[in-house]
Structure formats: structure tokens, C-alpha cells
Amino acid sequence: MAASASQLEMDEGFFEELRAIVGDENVLSEPGELLVYECDGLPQHKHPPLAVVFPNSTEETSEVLEFLAAENVSFAPRGAGTGLSGGALAINRGVVIELARMRKILRVDPENRLAVVQAGLVNAHLSRAVSPYGLYYVPDPSSQPSCTIGGNIAENAGGIHCLKYGTTTDHIVGARVVLSDGSIVDLGNATPGYDLLGVFVGSEGTFGIATEATVKLSPIPPAVRTLLADFLDVDDASRAVSAIIAAGMLPAALEMMDNAIIRAVEQSVFTAGLPIDAQAVLLVELDGAEAGIDNDAQKAEAILLDHGARAVRRAADENERKKLWAARKGAFGAVGRLSPDIMIQDAVVPRSRLPEVLRETYRIASQNNLQLANVFHAGDGNLHPLICFDLRRGDDLEHVRQAGREIMEVCVRAGGSITGEHGVGLDKSSYLPLIFSEDDMEAMMRVRAAFDPSGLCNPGKIIPLPRGCGEARAVATQGLSESLPVFPLPLAEGQGEGVSRARAIPHPRPLPKEEGVIKTANSARLAERISEARVINEFKRIVGAQNLNRLWETELATNSQLASEKERTVVVAPATAGEASEVMRVAGREGLTVIPAGSSTWLDAGNPLNRADLILTTRRLTKIIRHEPADLVATAEAGVTLSEFQKHLAAAGQWLPIDPPDDDKASLGGVVATGLGGPHSLGYGAPRSFVIGMRLVLADGRAIKAGGNVVKNVAGYDLCKLFTGSYGTLGLITELTFKLRPLPAETRSVIASGPRGSLMAAGRRISVQMFPAAVEMLSSRLAEQLGMEARREEYALLFRFAGSSRTVVTQTAQALKVLREDRNHHCATHGEDAKLWRELSTASLQSADDLVWRATMRPTELPAFLDEMAALETDEVSQARLRWHAGLGDGRVRAIGRAPVYHREAVRALERMRQRAENLGGSLIVEKAPLEIKNEIDAWGDFGSASELMRRVKTQFDPENILSPGRMFA
Ligand SMILES: Cc1cc2nc3c(=O)[nH]c(=O)nc-3n(C[C@H](O)[C@H](O)[C@H](O)COP(=O)(O)OP(=O)(O)OC[C@H]3O[C@@H](n4cnc5c(N)ncnc54)[C@H](O)[C@@H]3O)c2cc1C
């Protein structure tokens, strides 16, 4: 059992061991020294630790955790302790692992816009250090002068500019993590497999300790306009927020402060000349290229005035802009002037519901005789109601908590979440059941058990835990035991009110060694069962006879890799998630393997399936459930095709900015399950950035949800990231919620042809300096296939700008100028360019192309990799008609060809290219290949040091290995 009573009585030998690892000066154990560490930025919770340890390196951290594991002592990672949910507290007298002394910037790579830093680095120090390169680190929580990158990762911290640029999860590409047994793993997008980095971000220190991170840096925008609009009515201000978004604008920041905050700020050192008689002010910041930004600012001003702004003032210069943001960021500090005690809430609501929710927050406060102040990220709908009170005056803390809870319930009823950026921690675990069911939380605990089988890592946080062993009930799943270890936590004061309605979720049992091994399905047993009429009839009863077919009756029978299975495999098409759940339950009971499918265009992705008894397709789940343009959010069932979805969104001037390979057939579920982006990932990000919620059916038939309906949400673990790109090996996705983007007012593309070296150099300059939506280099054969006018042996460069008309026209002219500096380049501009990009993204889907692979690496490594490709292109024996395109800004290559008759040649060529990619720090994945080739080369390559962890995740979700067996793990 973790966090045992023996923790309370450690002898001096225990501390001596710790000192031997990190040095005498790096262990605190005296009660006086420990006082600072008994709480974080939320003083309502206090838990004095047993000791505080300051490791100086990843290796020391690993040694410390190995020692604690041997002693069975729990621990809590800690950065700067600015967290506002009690996350960094070592409950039950555990050990605090303080990262503050690991604060080095290890490497800056300005060309690839990356930095490698230690986790204890203070956020603001990073932007300061890289500013000489014209770069900055985007996530900018108001606490950025003190909070650490590790703390930001753990909380998926947001900031003022995350409306346009996303939260921490969108800016971290790798993390070195020490797990609770002391093992060190590298998580990140350089290796294939599950997105463990995605689910680690926001895990609030319960999965392990991040000791290093590779972060994305972004170019400092060349032009910025900051507007201050003041309103005499809070409702008007909140309506103006939605109006700006609905008008197709996406400001970099959109913040609101109400009258109480304005007054407090104006009396403080942060005074910025805010109008103290205004009921609310909005701070709106637009950024981007200089050309056109004033037009955008005028448009925003007009909308603000139309919606009741009394005046709109533009920051005259950088100095005034800084003052305005200092006022906003200093608001939390300034509220000390309103009352001696403050309870900070953090909740998110759909942006369109802001007016009514804000009204309710004020009503609840006044009903409880409390003062309320509001300062928040309005563009994201991320509210921070501050309940002001004075304990000395006899204000009842219970009263305050009651008001806090009512406010939270209002936000949840409006379709929101219980936390947008401060995390759940210790403070809000009792609220989690307001938005997640027991099954949802139990699924989260499975991931936690995979990362931390011992339960020693930051116990007691996020998920409501049992009040005592007597209340613990086993979770009735394979892989989880009846006698689960529980944490007999004394619940902190104020915690746990919400637990009474929800069953506390025990920590899943650590997997015995043999259970970390992926099982092989028992073919003989399965073959008998699927042919039984009884089972078939049961499926027919669930979905209707007409919605069950034998594979040989369907188009899929021609799919080469399932052809051998066609006699036996059945295709089942449920009409609802409930039916899918039932089918999965029966399949599980009967020991059948299940292949989740959408439109079934890519069932042979990854390694060959061991068996395919049942294809469970979402093709009848075709409803678009909700689309609220003012929220820039839409929800659809997983069987809706991407092209139908885009058509629907376009009618409201919006889109989902992803362009995976798709010839109008790909379903949303399939697109997300494969997680593939295309050329536009450069300008907008990969599909993982846009999935904010999903519903799933797990291998045991449980229907769960992950994420929610709001654009910012850190409640619970980000399972959406885990399931995105999991290729149907962890569950069936039945419904998806996406955040969207406004359709650009204008797009313009240029095709240039010329020699590879000079085109690449020009393309790199354009991608680094000019904010394009996409920049792709095409091999001459691919250019020829797409009908582009490239001369023989010449390559093509295709790039696109998207945005407001003036900006796009200017950017295109600038890019053309760069290209024309070399007389060997021939350029043509395209206004109506959608067809061009569509053809590029569907190039790999031609039925004759049976060999498709992709590689990723740092963009500066592309020239070396493409040199190798060029050699391969001319090698007619190994790669007949090889064509490729490469994203110059994001280091993505997709190669397409026809497999040669002698498949050994193809295997050798693939191995050679994979080796090259790996030597350059990247990876290569075989997307599509004839079975003879796939039988000889692993589709994924090396999963890296996280391989074992991925297997543990797979085993937690699919202990019998019935979901797409063999596809990812042999
Ligand atoms: C005045 C003020 C303003 C704030 N404004 C914002 C804001 O605008 N946006 C926002 O998102 N948050 C904000 N916060 C909350 C807080 O600053 C952030 O959550 C921040 O990311 C915490 O960083 P930290 O280094 O202080 O982490 P800590 O408070 O030390 O820890 C927070 C959590 O992260 C875990 N943790 C810390 N380091 C690591 C690590 N290396 N590996 C694994 N787990 C780790 C801890 O166990 C804990 O669960 C604000 C807080 C204050 C006090």
C-alpha cells in the first residue's frame, strides 16, 4: 500500500540515503524548513511533507525515486508552487521533489525553433533568453515570472495568448520523464506509437516527474495591435466576445475585467488608466503580418462599438501595450485590495453562454452576501470568479465554498468544465464527478496505473479516492483486481463533498509482469465461435439483420490484407453508441477480435492483423450533433465523413483545418484514429490539436467520454490525445468534438519549379519568415502527376497563404520576390487553389499505389534525407515510380510508389530510408504495403524508450488483446 503509516516515522537513515544521492544541502527535513512546502498558491490546503529533496539532474531524480520506491514512500513533484489546486502537496507525509534547481536552458535550436530545457526553468526566463533570435515561448500564464516549465507541463498551463496559439500541450514536443520506479523514458512526437506525451501533459504530476522538455519556439509576431474597449454593461461586453469570433476573427488574446477588478488594479502598482466607471473592459490583441493588421483592428473596433462599447482605445505604443497587459496579469495580485481572503474559481463555459453564466455568478455571490470579482480569458470562455471574503469578519468559509460550488454547477450546466487551467489537484477532485462518470474516471485510472503501477506518484490528486479501505470496491474489469491497493487518505478539509454521490475510484492494481505482455489471440477458439449461428444471431438482434454482413459480401473483400479472412469475418454496423457497446460486450464475452472501422478505407494500416473476426464500423453513425459558430466548436458522430463535415462548417464560414489523405470517404473517427495531418499542419497544427472531446467504446463494452465541449479544459487526463493516433487498438471512437477555425477570407498559392537545392532554400525562408499556411516540396514525378508545369528533372515548390485579403496579397508578393531572386525558378500564382491542395493530399490514395510511407524529422535535416531520396528515385529496381512531397516547415515527408515485383528490394530500400531517418533523429512509418513487404518489416519502427509504457497502456485498455490485434504490437 502506498503512503503507508511507516512514512510518518522515518529514521535518520532514510534522510542520510537521500543526502547521499543529492548532497547534504539538497535535502530539507526540519519542521521549520518544511513549512513553505506545506501548501502551494492555494493556502486552503495544507499538508506538511516528510522531506523536500532538490535533485540536480535526471539521473539524481531517478536515483531518488528508485530509493523511495524501495522504501514504499510516496512523493509529489513541485516546481515553483504557484499551482492553484493543491497539486504539489505531498499528502500523507510524502516527499516533495522540488525541481527548482534544475533550471538550465540546455540547447537552443533557432533554425528548427526548438529549445531543450530543464523542467525547473522559470517560464519567463525562456522567452527572455530566446528573444535575440526573434523567438519566444508562447504559453504565458499570468504567473510566468515565477512558474516553471515542468509545472506548466503538469498543468497544461494556459495563458493570455492561448486563444489563438493553444495551451502548453501545443508547444511541447518532447519530455524526459522519470517514472515512480526510477526508470527514465523519453516521450515525444519523434517516435511512433501512442501519444503518451499528449496524455502526460496535464497529468498534474501523477504520472512521473518531467525533468527535461523540448519546447517549440515561435517567431515574435512582426505586428501587434492592442485594443481596450470599455462597457457600461457586463452583458454587452460578453456578447461582444462572441460577436468577434462569429465574425471570423481569431484574436491572439481576448480578456475581460469587471468593475471590481478595474478598481482594484487602478489602485495598485499595475494602474494602466483603465476607466474606473466602466462595468467591464475587454482587452483585445491582434497579431500577425504588418500588412492588413490595421484593417483587422478596425473591424474589431467596429464590432466592439456595435455591441455597446462606450469607447475603444488602441495602445499607442509598446510601452502602453505592456502596461495594459501588466494590469491584466497583475489583477490576481491586486485583488488583495478588495478583501483579505479570496477564493479563486477556474471554470470554462462555451463562449456563447458567457452572458447568462456571468449573470448567474453575480447572483449567487449576492445571494450569499459575498462580493464577486471577475477577471478572465473571455475568448476561451475560461472564467476566474474571485469570491472575496474576510474570515476575521466572521464570513463563513462553508458559505464561501457553497457559493463556489454553485458557480461550478452553473458552469457545468451550461456545458462547461470545472477547470480550464488551474487543474483538479486536491482541491477539485470532488467536482470531477460533476462532469465525468465512474467509468470515465476508471478509464483515466487505467492510464495512471500504466504510468505509475505502484501508486506512489502524487497520490490523492485528480480522481476522487476512497475514504477508506472499507469503501473501496473493485472495478469489474479484467486487469483490475478485487483487492486493490487504496490510499486511506484523510480527506482534506473541504474536500470530498461531491464524492458522496460518486463511487470513489480505486487505483487499478499494478500489473503482474506477465500482464504487461500483449497476449496473442487464440485462433482456433475464435474461428469456431464466430461461425456459430447463436453469436451471429445475437449481433443481428443488436444491430438488425440488414446491418450485419459477411466480409465476402462487402466491398472490403477486395482489400488484399483481409482477403484471407473474408469467409469468417463479419462486418457489423451499429446505429448508436449503445449498440456498439453491446456488440463489443458480446465480442468480448465470446473472445472475438474486433477491428474498429470508419469507412474502412484503411483497414490495412500498420502491421498485419493477427485476426479479424468482427469489423465494427461507424458507417451508420452519421449525425452532426451540434455546431455553435460563436463557440467555434462542433460535435459529430464518428461516421460522418470529413468532407461532409467540412461542407456543413463552411456554410457558417468555418472549417476544421486538417488535410489528411482523403478522397471524400474518410470518416472523422478514422481521421482521428490515425491522427494524420497533411501540408496544412504547418500553419494550423496537427489533428491532435483540434480534438477537444470524444466518446468511445472500450474493449469491455464500457462507453466513456473524454474531454468535453469547451476549447480549454484540464479536468482529468487528456485521453483525447491518447486515443488520437491509436489506430483502433484501444477502443472504438463513436463521437468527436472539435475546435474549429474561421475560414480564411482569402487564400493564394504559388507553384514554383526549379532545382531542388535553391527551391528548398527559398521554401525554408518562406516558411520561417512569412507565416504561410503550408509549404511543400514535390518531387518532379509527383509534380508531373498533379499536372504542374515543372520541367523534367525539376522539383516543384508549392506554398499557400491564408488570411485576410490584404495580408495574403502582400505575403504572396513577398514570397514571389524571394523566389525570383533566383532566375532558375519559374513561378505561377493560383487564387482558386483548393483543388490543387486537395489533389496533393489525395495523391497517396490512387489505387495503383500500394507502397506509401512517411517520415518525420527536424526540418533542417530534410536536405540530407531528400538527398538520399533522390538517390532512391533513380534506382528503378527498388522503387518503381517513387514520388514524394515534403513539408519544409515541419519536417514531414510522404513517399508514394508502386511496390516492385521483387519485394525484398522494397524492404531493403525501406530499411535504408528508416535508418537514415533515425540517424537524423526522426522516424519512418510504413503506411501501406503489400503483405509480403509488411511481413518483413515492422510498419512502425522503433517505439523508443517508451515502448514498454505503451504496451502497459494497451494492456490496461485491452487486456485480452481483442482490438486490432497485431496492428501496433506484435
Ligand atoms: C497569480 C497567479 C496567476 C496564475 N495564472 C495562471 C494562468 O494565467 N494560467 C495558468 O494556466 N495557470 C495560472 N496559474 C496557476 C499556476 O501558476 C500554473 O498552474 C503553473 O503551471 C504552475 O507551475 P509551478 O511551477 O508553480 O508548478 P507547481 O505549483 O509547483 O506544481 C503544479 C503541479 O505540477 C506538478 N509538477 C510540477 N513540476 C513538475 C514536474 N517537473 N514534473 C511533473 N509534475 C510537476 C505538481 O506536482 C503539481 O501537481 C496562476 C497562479 C498564480 C498564483
Side-chain angles (χ1 to χ4, degrees):
M1 186 188 297
S4 64
S6 61
Q7 272 182 211
L8 307 178
E9 304 142 15
M10 284 299 168
D11 59 20
E12 197 43 38
F14 174 82
F15 302 109
E16 281 310 312
E17 288 283 348
L18 289 174
R19 288 191 185 104
I21 300 170
V22 294
D24 284 355
E25 67 287 11
N26 293 322
V27 177
L28 306 179
S29 58
E30 293 302 320
E33 298 172 322
L34 299 177
L35 271 181
V36 177
Y37 300 92
E38 68 178 17
C39 69
D40 62 5
L42 188 74
Q44 276 93 340
H45 299 278
K46 288 195 166 65
H47 288 264
L50 177 67
V52 180
V53 178
F54 296 77
N56 290 293
S57 64
T58 301
E59 291 68 30
E60 278 187 13
T61 311
S62 157
E63 268 191 77
V64 170
L65 295 203
E66 205 178 332
F67 170 66
L68 293 181
E71 297 288 318
N72 203 24
V73 170
S74 62
F75 63 90
R78 184 175 173 116
T82 66
L84 292 169
S85 54
L89 312 189
I91 60 161
N92 286 3
R93 300 268 285 152
V95 171
V96 165
I97 312 289
E98 169 60 81
L99 277 296
R101 293 193 187 158
M102 291 177 61
R103 49 172 182 263
K104 287 198 203 75
I105 296 177
L106 300 173
R107 203 165 52 249
V108 178
D109 175 358
E111 290 214 59
N112 289 304
R113 293 179 178 164
L114 296 172
V116 182
V117 305
Q118 288 186 315
L121 178 73
V122 168
N123 173 309
H125 295 180
L126 177 56
S127 288
R128 205 177 305 146
V130 299
S131 64
Y133 302 105
L135 299 171
Y136 76 124
Y137 177 62
V138 171
D140 56 348
S142 303
S143 51
Q144 75 181 142
S146 35
C147 67
T148 64
I149 298 293
N152 294 168
I153 291 175
E155 298 290 353
N156 188 14
I160 279 155
H161 290 91
C162 65
L163 170 59
K164 179 170 172 184
Y165 296 105
T167 53
T168 299
T169 191
D170 300 303
H171 300 274
I172 302 290
V173 297
R176 180 156 292 175
V177 172
V178 183
L179 302 178
S180 58
D181 61 358
S183 55
I184 301 171
V185 293
D186 284 312
L187 310 180
N189 58 10
T191 44
Y194 300 138
D195 184 0
L196 296 187
L197 177 66
V199 73
F200 183 86
V201 176
S203 60
E204 302 193 23
T206 62
F207 284 179
I209 300 187
T211 54
E212 281 178 26
T214 306
V215 305
K216 268 191 213 165
L217 303 173
S218 301
I220 298 171
V224 181
R225 299 290 181 272
T226 308
L227 313 177
L228 175 77
D230 76 85
F231 294 82
L232 291 177
D233 187 78
V234 179
D235 265 17
D236 286 346
S238 9
R239 276 194 282 267
V241 172
S242 287
I244 287 180
I245 304 293
M249 305 192 77
L250 192 58
L254 215 177
E255 300 284 306
M256 193 192 287
M257 291 185 259
D258 75 1
N259 180 266
I261 297 287
I262 296 169
R263 284 173 180 274
V265 167
E266 283 306 309
Q267 286 165 27
S268 75
V269 292
F270 302 111
T271 173
L274 306 179
I276 53 169
D277 60 336
Q279 288 309 302
V281 292
L282 285 182
L283 265 170
V284 185
E285 186 154 286
L286 304 155
D287 68 7
E290 185 66 53
I293 196 164
D294 283 318
N295 286 3
D296 290 349
Q298 275 162 17
K299 187 172 164 188
E301 274 165 11
I303 295 170
L304 291 163
L305 290 168
D306 271 0
H307 285 78
R310 182 172 58 169
V312 183
R313 170 177 128 201
R314 259 195 224 195
D317 52 27
E318 185 57 19
N319 197 27
E320 189 179 354
R321 171 180 174 251
K322 279 192 175 143
K323 269 185 113 171
L324 288 172
W325 285 120
R328 163 62 189 88
K329 290 186 181 181
F332 276 3
V335 287
R337 292 171 182 274
L338 298 179
S339 65
D341 299 295
I342 306 281
M343 183 186 262
I344 301 174
Q345 295 289 337
D346 167 43
V348 197
V349 296
R351 207 180 277 125
S352 57
R353 308 289 298 272
L354 272 177
E356 70 197 74
V357 170
L358 274 177
R359 270 197 304 272
E360 274 296 282
T361 62
Y362 292 114
R363 185 195 61 74
I364 291 167
S366 99
Q367 203 171 46
N368 286 284
N369 276 330
L370 295 162
Q371 190 190 353
L372 191 81
N374 263 307
V375 48
F376 62 100
H377 311 299
D380 301 305
N382 186 184
L383 294 168
H384 289 321
L386 303 169
I387 302 176
C388 309
F389 60 103
D390 183 352
L391 274 179
R392 291 168 315 181
R393 215 180 53 193
D395 275 348
D396 180 1
L397 196 54
E398 242 346 280
H399 224 183
V400 174
R401 287 208 180 101
Q402 177 57 27
R405 186 173 176 92
E406 281 177 38
I407 289 176
M408 208 51 85
E409 284 170 353
V410 164
C411 294
V412 171
R413 274 201 299 276
S417 168
I418 57 162
T419 172
E421 57 183 20
H422 294 170
V424 178
L426 204 53
D427 190 57
K428 281 190 175 163
S429 64
S430 64
Y431 291 156
L432 210 61
L434 291 177
I435 52 172
F436 289 119
S437 71
E438 287 180 10
D439 283 346
D440 302 339
M441 292 187 283
E442 190 272 337
M444 291 181 199
M445 286 303 274
R446 294 187 196 194
V447 191
R448 185 156 165 177
F451 272 90
D452 175 30
S454 65
L456 291 173
C457 188
N458 214 358
K461 312 295 164 64
I462 304 185
I463 311 276
L465 291 164
R467 284 161 190 261
C469 300
E471 284 185 34
R473 276 200 273 141
V475 181
T477 353
Q478 268 271 323
L480 306 175
S481 107
E482 288 293 318
S483 55
L484 298 161
V486 292
F487 308 114
L489 300 179
L491 283 174
E493 220 186 309
Q495 192 204 12
E497 308 97 299
V499 190
S500 51
R501 278 190 286 120
R503 177 160 62 83
I505 309 296
H507 195 293
R509 130 179 102 98
L511 293 167
K513 273 215 160 33
E514 67 277 13
E515 284 194 29
V517 177
I518 310 286
K519 292 186 183 172
T520 318
N522 177 338
S523 340
R525 189 178 64 122
L526 298 176
E528 275 167 26
R529 294 202 165 170
I530 191 68
S531 55
E532 279 181 24
R534 175 184 58 81
V535 181
I536 297 290
N537 284 341
E538 199 162 353
F539 288 136
K540 282 185 179 164
R541 178 192 58 76
I542 299 167
V543 298
Q546 66 284 17
N547 298 309
L548 180 145
N549 300 93
R550 289 282 175 179
L551 180 63
W552 55 263
E553 296 169 326
T554 71
E555 279 177 33
L556 294 176
T558 52
N559 180 315
S560 59
Q561 288 172 26
L562 290 176
S564 62
E565 309 257 332
K566 69 184 175 196
E567 295 302 319
R568 192 186 57 233
T569 308
V570 290
V571 182
V572 178
T576 62
E579 286 184 8
S581 229
E582 252 193 283
V583 170
M584 197 77 99
R585 262 199 190 104
V586 173
R589 190 191 68 210
E590 300 293 328
L592 303 176
T593 62
V594 178
I595 318 303
S599 312
S600 304
T601 54
W602 200 16
L603 286 185
D604 49 357
N607 289 323
L609 295 163
N610 294 346
R611 299 186 53 81
D613 294 324
L614 196 147
I615 294 174
L616 186 55
T617 166
T618 58
R619 70 173 159 74
R620 290 174 69 219
L621 299 174
T622 53
K623 282 199 274 306
I624 294 178
I625 296 169
R626 218 172 17 250
H627 174 208
E628 179 47 74
D631 294 335
L632 273 175
V633 166
T635 302
E637 288 184 326
V640 172
T641 62
L642 177 61
S643 63
E644 274 304 312
F645 193 56
Q646 298 286 31
K647 254 183 243 155
H648 176 94
L649 302 176
Q654 299 184 345
W655 72 312
L656 176 61
I658 61 174
D659 55 348
D662 171 29
D663 50 2
D664 285 347
K665 292 194 196 123
S667 65
L668 292 175
V671 166
V672 170
T674 55
L676 287 185
H680 287 79
S681 305
L682 174 66
Y684 299 97
R688 79 195 274 281
S689 311
F690 293 93
V691 183
I692 58 171
M694 51 169 81
R695 286 182 188 275
L696 302 129
V697 174
L698 301 182
D700 58 10
R702 289 179 202 221
I704 63 153
K705 95 168 184 189
N709 304 315
V710 281
V711 294
K712 207 167 159 202
N713 188 1
V714 295
Y717 302 126
D718 189 353
L719 296 193
C720 293
K721 294 280 188 305
L722 182 65
F723 283 88
T724 300
S726 63
Y727 282 83
T729 61
L730 297 177
L732 173 81
I733 300 170
T734 56
E735 187 183 302
L736 285 150
T737 301
F738 296 99
K739 69 176 174 185
L740 311 169
R741 287 280 189 137
L743 269 171
E746 174 93 29
T747 61
R748 205 161 274 216
S749 295
V750 171
I751 302 175
S753 62
R756 183 158 56 90
S758 62
L759 267 192
M760 275 198 83
R764 274 294 290 164
R765 260 177 79 189
I766 292 164
S767 62
V768 170
Q769 295 171 3
M770 296 176 192
F771 304 97
V775 180
E776 290 293 293
M777 178 97 179
L778 276 62
S779 72
S780 45
R781 278 193 180 129
L782 185 58
E784 190 186 312
Q785 177 194 324
L786 300 183
M788 294 175 188
E789 284 176 20
R791 283 181 300 193
R792 233 186 132 60
E793 305 306 319
E794 283 198 335
Y795 291 74
L797 179 72
L798 184 55
F799 58 85
R800 188 185 213 193
F801 289 102
S804 64
S805 303
R806 210 146 147 226
T807 314
V808 167
V809 170
T810 312
Q811 285 170 319
T812 310
Q814 285 167 348
L816 280 168
K817 201 163 153 225
V818 167
L819 276 164
R820 287 183 175 138
E821 282 171 12
D822 189 323
R823 286 167 180 273
N824 292 315
H825 297 159
H826 302 270
C827 310
T829 336
H830 290 254
E832 294 287 318
D833 56 353
K835 186 162 166 273
L836 199 66
W837 290 98
R838 244 192 75 70
E839 283 175 356
L840 179 60
S841 69
T842 54
S844 61
L845 300 176
Q846 292 205 347
S847 55
D849 296 323
D850 56 359
L851 187 56
V852 183
W853 51 270
R854 66 176 191 272
T856 41
M857 65 206 67
R858 286 187 297 273
T860 51
E861 308 295 0
L862 271 179
F865 189 76
L866 294 183
D867 281 347
E868 192 92 9
M869 293 279 283
L872 201 66
E873 272 178 277
T874 53
D875 181 352
E876 291 291 336
V877 186
S878 61
Q879 292 287 292
R881 291 192 56 75
L882 178 77
R883 287 147 288 141
W884 53 261
H885 57 104
L888 298 190
D890 54 353
R892 182 182 26 78
V893 180
R894 173 167 277 121
I896 310 157
R898 219 166 288 166
V901 180
Y902 301 107
H903 70 265
R904 277 298 318 155
E905 295 297 336
V907 172
R908 258 196 292 276
L910 286 167
E911 281 168 349
R912 177 172 136 198
M913 294 312 296
R914 174 171 284 163
Q915 189 62 58
R916 189 77 179 122
E918 287 177 358
N919 289 346
L920 294 168
S923 63
L924 184 149
I925 291 170
V926 181
E927 291 189 346
K928 194 169 156 189
L931 209 49
E932 310 83 66
I933 293 179
K934 282 203 177 169
N935 283 338
E936 291 201 25
I937 185 166
D938 188 274
W940 308 100
D942 188 1
F943 289 119
S945 57
S947 159
E948 176 54 29
L949 198 48
M950 287 183 201
R951 286 168 193 273
R952 293 206 307 240
V953 169
K954 165 76 175 166
T955 310
Q956 282 288 346
F957 278 94
D958 182 18
E960 293 298 325
N961 192 19
I962 66 163
L963 293 174
S964 307
R967 181 175 279 165
M968 215 174 236
F969 301 103

